[in-house]
Amino acid sequence: MFPEAENLEFDLRDKENCERAVANADLVYNLASDMGGMGFIENNKALCMLSVLVNTHLLMAAKDAGAKRFFYASSACVYAAGKQTGPNVTALKEEDAYPAMPEDGYGWEKLFSERMGRHFREDFGLATRVARYHNVYGSHGTYDGGREKAPAAICRKVIEAKLSGHHEIEIWGDGKQTRSFQWIGDCVKGTQMIMNGDFAEPLNLGSSELVSINQLVDIVEDIAGLKLKRRYNLSAPKGVNGRNSDNALIRKIFGWEPSTRLRDGLERTYRWIHDQMTSNARAKSLERVS
């Protein structure tokens, strides 16, 4: 929250709230979605799909308000599952979203909303832009409660192990599944580039630094300065076996791609989550004493 900005709280599934939110706006960024990590996505498919109400009503409101541009935050979950069956993946290009077979629930909503933006551009002249986010992480993100993504979850688990002295960690799946993870600063920069640029079709916005979940844990352990015993929960949600971002198109258009090293971004994320967890623990301890 920034005190110099107007901050409104609305349920954007409601069309009237969307109209109030975009009144007098030139640029509309739709970053709103009911989503979380893979555990949430796999167990809440209907809730994820109901986010279509947000994008539908925001598009309608932006068109009626005369907004100049509309940005939609899509996801790498739109990509066809058949192209993500093994950990040694070929990086996904934008055209790999079709023939369509996205992540059930969440991915289908994202792909449908992409198409809606396209047709609002074609039929109504609203300049729409789309970025397909690949696993955004960083400071000030959710790190507990069930909606957190893998980098934040791993950081939290390692910190819990370090603070408790119980040097063990549970990993969902076999740890061999692969992903790329994008630092929030790169995501913000890329989002603004895409919004202000002339390219109207969906673009990948993600790092191309591919790692396994085991390697992700290795990095966080190294940051924390300890090694943990690993327990693999093979029945837990783990998503597709491999996914990476092909950045050829964004490099061609903007001469740029997300490039913050995973180690650098994770170190900043780890420090922030550690500070949050230790300060919360101190506050609870003081409450008990008082």
Side-chain angles (χ1 to χ4, degrees):
M1 302 285 273
F2 295 90
E4 65 272 22
E6 180 185 26
N7 294 284
L8 308 172
E9 286 191 26
F10 292 131
D11 182 344
L12 293 175
R13 292 172 298 184
D14 186 288
K15 185 172 180 288
E16 289 184 0
N17 287 340
C18 289
E19 291 168 349
R20 295 165 65 191
V22 305
N24 303 314
D26 289 328
L27 307 177
V28 177
Y29 292 82
N30 178 12
L31 309 175
S33 180
D34 197 355
M35 57 84 69
M38 190 49 60
F40 181 85
I41 288 174
E42 287 200 3
N43 293 307
N44 296 276
K45 294 183 175 69
L47 287 179
C48 289
M49 292 203 76
L50 282 172
S51 294
V52 73
L53 294 172
V54 177
N55 196 55
T56 302
H57 291 148
L58 274 177
L59 276 168
M60 295 170 70
K63 174 183 75 70
D64 293 342
K68 293 184 174 65
R69 293 204 170 194
F70 184 100
F71 175 88
Y72 178 64
S74 187
S75 166
C77 288
V78 303
Y79 285 113
K83 295 181 181 292
Q84 304 170 79
T85 56
N88 300 316
V89 295
T90 300
L92 294 161
K93 298 180 180 179
E94 283 76 4
E95 60 263 31
D96 289 331
Y98 295 94
M101 187 49 69
E103 180 82 36
D104 197 10
Y106 178 70
W108 276 110
E109 187 277 322
K110 288 295 184 182
L111 193 60
F112 176 82
S113 292
E114 283 188 11
R115 301 294 291 190
M116 189 181 298
R118 173 179 177 172
H119 296 311
F120 264 69
R121 182 176 72 249
E122 294 170 344
D123 294 357
F124 303 124
L126 176 61
T128 55
R129 299 291 184 266
V130 174
R132 292 175 179 159
Y133 289 170
H134 287 247
N135 292 308
V136 184
Y137 74 96
S139 308
H140 301 280
T142 301
Y143 61 88
D144 62 4
R147 291 180 182 262
E148 65 275 17
K149 297 296 187 73
I154 297 300
C155 285
R156 186 200 74 242
K157 290 179 179 181
V158 171
I159 293 165
E160 287 173 342
K162 186 169 186 176
L163 295 177
S164 69
H166 183 60
H167 289 181
E168 187 171 286
I169 185 172
E170 180 185 82
I171 297 173
W172 287 7
D174 60 10
K176 297 176 183 178
Q177 61 270 35
T178 54
R179 296 289 188 278
S180 63
F181 300 98
Q182 175 185 197
W183 172 247
I184 181 61
D186 285 343
C187 182
V188 171
K189 181 175 181 177
T191 295
Q192 292 175 324
M193 277 185 175
I194 291 170
M195 177 62 140
N196 297 322
D198 295 327
F199 190 79
E201 298 300 321
L203 268 175
N204 277 334
L205 186 55
S207 169
S208 58
E209 183 184 350
L210 187 71
V211 295
S212 69
I213 298 302
N214 279 328
Q215 289 172 319
L216 179 65
V217 176
D218 289 341
I219 296 171
V220 179
E221 284 180 337
D222 187 57
I223 292 169
L226 80 166
K227 293 295 290 184
L228 303 175
K229 179 182 178 181
R230 302 182 184 185
R231 287 187 296 105
Y232 294 95
N233 184 348
L234 301 182
S235 63
K238 68 182 185 69
V240 296
N241 286 320
R243 177 184 293 153
N244 196 13
S245 179
D246 186 307
N247 290 341
L249 189 54
I250 196 170
R251 286 197 306 268
K252 178 181 177 181
I253 294 166
F254 294 109
W256 175 89
E257 67 177 306
S259 58
T260 299
R261 281 198 326 147
L262 180 58
R263 165 71 194 225
D264 296 337
L266 277 176
E267 188 152 8
R268 296 166 70 179
T269 304
Y270 178 93
R271 303 300 175 203
W272 182 83
I273 295 175
H274 184 276
D275 289 347
Q276 296 299 304
M277 291 176 66
T278 52
S279 63
N280 289 341
R282 283 194 297 269
K284 289 179 180 178
S285 178
L286 289 172
E287 285 177 6
R288 287 194 296 270
V289 170
S290 60

